[in-house]
Amino acid sequence: MINNRNNKLVNKDGGKIKGIRGEILTFKADPFINDPEQCYDHLEDGLIIIQDGIILEVGNFCEVCEYYPELNDIDHYSDSIIMPGFIDCHIHYVQSPIIGSFGETLLEWLEQYTFPMESKYRDKEFSDNVAKIFFRQILEQGTTTANVFSTTFEESVDAFFEESQRYNTRMISGKVLQDRNLPEVLRDPDTDESIEITEKLLKKWHNNGRQLYAIIPRFAPTSTNRQMELAGNLYQKYKDEGVYLHSHLNEAEEEIDWVKQLFPESANYTELYNSFKMMDNRSVYAHCCLMKEEEWQLMHDSGSAAAHCPSSNLFLGDGEFKYWEAKDIKRPVKMGIATDVGGGTNFSILRQLNEAYKVAMLKKKNIDALKCFYLATRGGAQALDLENKIGSLAPGYEADIAVIDLKATEFIEWRLKFTDTLFEKLFVLISLALDNMNKATYVAGKKVFDRERTERFIYPDKL
Ligand code: GUN
Ligand code: ZN
């Protein structure tokens, strides 16, 4: 299955080899559109062999370890499930300080809480502090890659990528483009210059180590036509180099009404982005709650991805995401799961899966645990066009790994005794998910978070 015996040849270069042992779950295909039984690998007692941050081999412990007699560095996790690090397809690190702000729907919430907070990030020290806290939060939850909004100011972008470099995480971010309909202090003062700054930051950060750059018009209402046009052109210029386009789409009725007023000539919101050349296979749109069929079709045809943000949609009283529409077998759309902090109320991808199940149930649709964990890992990687690098535990993949605790609480441990199958076990983990489910997080093979260690977070170069 996921063994690759030829890899033992790699040993000859003398690089230090590390092993991670325990129960392992990983996906190799999309269970929404294939036979779910064929989509995953599950090992009761598996071993992952890592060298230079890359997975060499994954297989049954007793088979694989024979091939690595020199292997003496093994982290052994019992009572856990080892998975690929989780992937958060849409989150605003700059909104970490406003999680849990009371009582408003989207546009009022932006005005009242979000814009005032985002205005603070011209200050590099403030940005550095928030970035530091943000990385700790996501790594604690087992998230190793995220598609991240910063805000208008360069300082907020540099602070983010600098902290990501320290952890060596594979992250996507960039400057937010916004030149109208928001407070002056947060607005791009000069549209052409906002694009020049974006290009400068792109050249600085894209493919700098594991960092990837996204062009980020916040959403259509906060960019002038000129900014949208220039942003679309910039995306076209750089998309073949792996640059992203990241924005919001069809989240709430009030937002869609506003878009109609601002762009009356456009057939729909998705077509509007398309008209600015912003739909492609590295375009990621958060929310996509209130989509018409022709909009899903356009997402499918263009290869764009939807980021499902269930806790945020519930918290802000938006519409609900309809995964059965997104994943319609006739024209499936790439889809990942996302926290959307600070609309979302926590950093945990497991807790998002919990909410995603309930949102679907409101419409009498269920979403099984296998599909949920696919979305959290390989599905997210596919949405970010990174499914050949991250999101799976297999030879050649980057060794980003989460270790989910089957004894996170006494009750979870007890409840799991009443499960018979892997599916039941996974669904209990989702249903009872708390913030302390992850024991350890590996980034490119280095354990940067360990719940049991005195210093829980350590930059890899200090290990
Ligand atoms: N639409 C435009 N900006 C935002 C934001 O910051 N959060 C959410 N949830 N939706 C948005
Ligand atoms: Zn958002």
Side-chain angles (χ1 to χ4, degrees):
M1 43 189 265
I2 35 184
N3 297 336
N4 181 353
R5 292 285 171 243
N6 293 334
N7 281 327
K8 77 184 160 129
L9 295 174
V10 180
N11 294 355
K12 71 178 188 287
D13 76 5
K16 196 169 174 312
I17 296 169
K18 178 174 187 62
I20 302 178
R21 177 182 179 185
E23 183 176 348
I24 294 172
L25 177 70
T26 182
F27 289 85
K28 50 195 176 186
D30 183 348
F32 286 93
I33 53 178
N34 299 287
D35 173 5
E37 285 300 320
Q38 306 303 317
C39 290
Y40 70 98
D41 284 310
H42 176 232
L43 302 169
E44 294 282 356
D45 183 14
L47 181 63
I48 304 169
I49 304 287
I50 300 165
Q51 188 179 44
D52 297 329
I54 302 292
I55 296 174
L56 291 185
E57 182 157 355
V58 182
N60 287 313
F61 174 76
C62 53
E63 290 166 26
V64 172
C65 70
E66 267 183 47
Y67 286 80
Y68 297 90
E70 74 280 35
L71 176 64
N72 53 21
D73 176 10
I74 303 183
D75 293 348
H76 186 184
Y77 294 99
S78 48
D79 306 316
S80 306
I81 305 186
I82 300 163
M83 298 188 189
F86 296 135
I87 297 174
D88 189 332
C89 288
H90 174 74
I91 183 166
H92 303 245
Y93 98 86
V94 291
Q95 294 175 14
S96 304
I98 58 149
I99 286 189
S101 294
F102 174 76
E104 304 298 344
T105 56
L106 177 62
L107 301 180
E108 196 51 42
W109 174 84
L110 287 172
E111 284 287 334
Q112 201 166 316
Y113 302 112
T114 311
F115 295 155
M117 175 51 64
E118 292 195 19
S119 302
K120 295 180 192 285
Y121 289 81
R122 192 189 288 285
D123 179 342
K124 179 66 169 27
E125 203 181 322
F126 184 79
S127 303
D128 287 340
N129 285 334
V130 178
K132 190 173 163 75
I133 287 169
F134 172 83
F135 271 89
R136 289 178 169 225
Q137 296 315 305
I138 61 168
L139 290 169
E140 181 164 3
Q141 298 305 324
T143 298
T144 48
T145 288
N147 188 27
V148 182
F149 266 54
S150 58
T151 189
T152 317
F153 313 111
E154 283 179 62
E155 289 79 358
S156 70
V157 180
D158 285 338
F160 178 83
F161 279 131
E162 283 163 14
E163 187 67 357
S164 184
Q165 289 278 45
R166 284 181 205 110
Y167 281 111
N168 192 26
T169 34
R170 186 168 277 295
M171 288 284 156
I172 306 170
S173 191
K175 173 189 150 41
V176 175
L177 291 161
Q178 37 194 1
D179 68 348
R180 67 163 169 174
N181 290 326
L182 72 171
E184 197 177 345
V185 22
L186 195 57
R187 225 181 289 156
D188 288 309
D190 180 311
T191 301
D192 289 29
E193 195 192 25
S194 72
I195 301 296
E196 284 157 25
I197 296 170
T198 300
E199 192 164 10
K200 182 184 84 179
L201 288 167
L202 184 159
K203 286 183 178 156
K204 178 173 179 184
W205 288 113
H206 189 61
N207 284 330
N208 182 347
R210 300 183 78 198
Q211 311 315 311
L212 298 168
Y213 199 85
I215 296 161
I216 311 181
R218 178 178 210 112
F219 64 160
T222 45
S223 286
T224 55
N225 278 30
R226 175 150 182 88
Q227 193 173 50
M228 293 290 276
E229 200 181 311
L230 294 177
N233 290 343
L234 195 65
Y235 180 40
Q236 291 305 315
K237 181 169 168 189
Y238 286 104
K239 73 179 164 56
D240 291 341
E241 292 179 32
V243 166
Y244 293 83
L245 189 294
H246 185 188
S247 195
H248 295 92
L249 172 64
N250 280 331
E251 177 177 0
E253 295 285 2
E254 57 184 357
E255 169 209 15
I256 295 169
D257 290 344
W258 196 21
V259 170
K260 274 188 200 142
Q261 273 173 34
L262 292 169
F263 301 94
E265 69 289 357
S266 212
N268 58 54
Y269 199 169
T270 312
E271 181 48 45
L272 174 65
Y273 286 125
N274 192 37
S275 70
F276 288 111
K277 298 184 275 192
M278 292 181 176
M279 312 266 321
D280 228 304
N281 66 338
R282 257 175 241 100
S283 312
V284 184
Y285 287 96
H287 302 293
C288 301
C289 296
L290 302 163
M291 300 281 282
K292 300 189 192 111
E293 174 53 30
E294 60 265 32
E295 297 186 279
W296 282 127
Q297 186 70 49
L298 187 46
M299 294 283 287
H300 169 84
D301 292 344
S302 60
S304 304
H308 177 17
C309 314
S311 87
S312 175
N313 296 154
L314 291 168
F315 185 75
L316 294 172
D318 302 330
E320 70 275 308
F321 184 90
K322 298 163 193 74
Y323 85 82
W324 54 97
E325 290 184 1
K327 285 295 187 181
D328 187 331
I329 198 106
K330 295 195 297 295
R331 44 119 198 85
V333 170
K334 294 189 295 185
M335 163 188 172
I337 199 92
T339 57
D340 190 31
V341 163
T345 48
N346 60 74
F347 294 90
S348 159
I349 288 295
L350 284 180
R351 290 178 66 191
Q352 303 310 309
L353 299 177
N354 173 314
E355 306 285 19
Y357 178 82
K358 294 179 207 163
V359 168
M361 283 304 269
L362 280 175
K363 294 287 174 194
K364 309 285 183 261
K365 302 273 184 189
N366 59 36
I367 173 167
D368 69 52
L370 216 49
K371 292 188 175 108
C372 282
F373 277 101
Y374 168 77
L375 290 177
T377 57
R378 190 175 172 87
Q382 194 200 25
L384 302 179
D385 203 38
L386 289 172
E387 74 269 28
N388 295 324
K389 284 196 164 70
I390 57 167
S392 296
L393 301 176
Y397 277 77
E398 296 170 3
D400 295 341
I401 293 168
V403 182
I404 303 306
D405 191 357
L406 300 176
K407 294 183 170 174
T409 67
E410 242 178 66
F411 183 75
I412 288 175
E413 179 183 359
W414 184 79
R415 170 65 182 90
L416 286 171
K417 291 190 178 130
F418 297 89
T419 59
D420 295 320
T421 65
L422 172 67
F423 306 104
E424 286 173 14
K425 184 157 85 174
L426 293 174
F427 190 63
V428 166
L429 290 176
I430 291 170
S431 301
L432 299 186
L434 296 166
D435 266 353
N436 63 345
M437 306 293 283
N438 182 50
K439 266 188 191 169
T441 306
Y442 293 80
V443 169
K446 298 282 174 97
K447 190 158 47 163
V448 298
F449 168 75
D450 183 339
R451 215 175 53 189
E452 310 300 331
R453 204 164 50 193
T454 325
E455 230 185 306
R456 297 193 311 150
F457 301 91
I458 302 184
Y459 296 130
D461 65 348
K462 303 278 187 309
L463 278 164

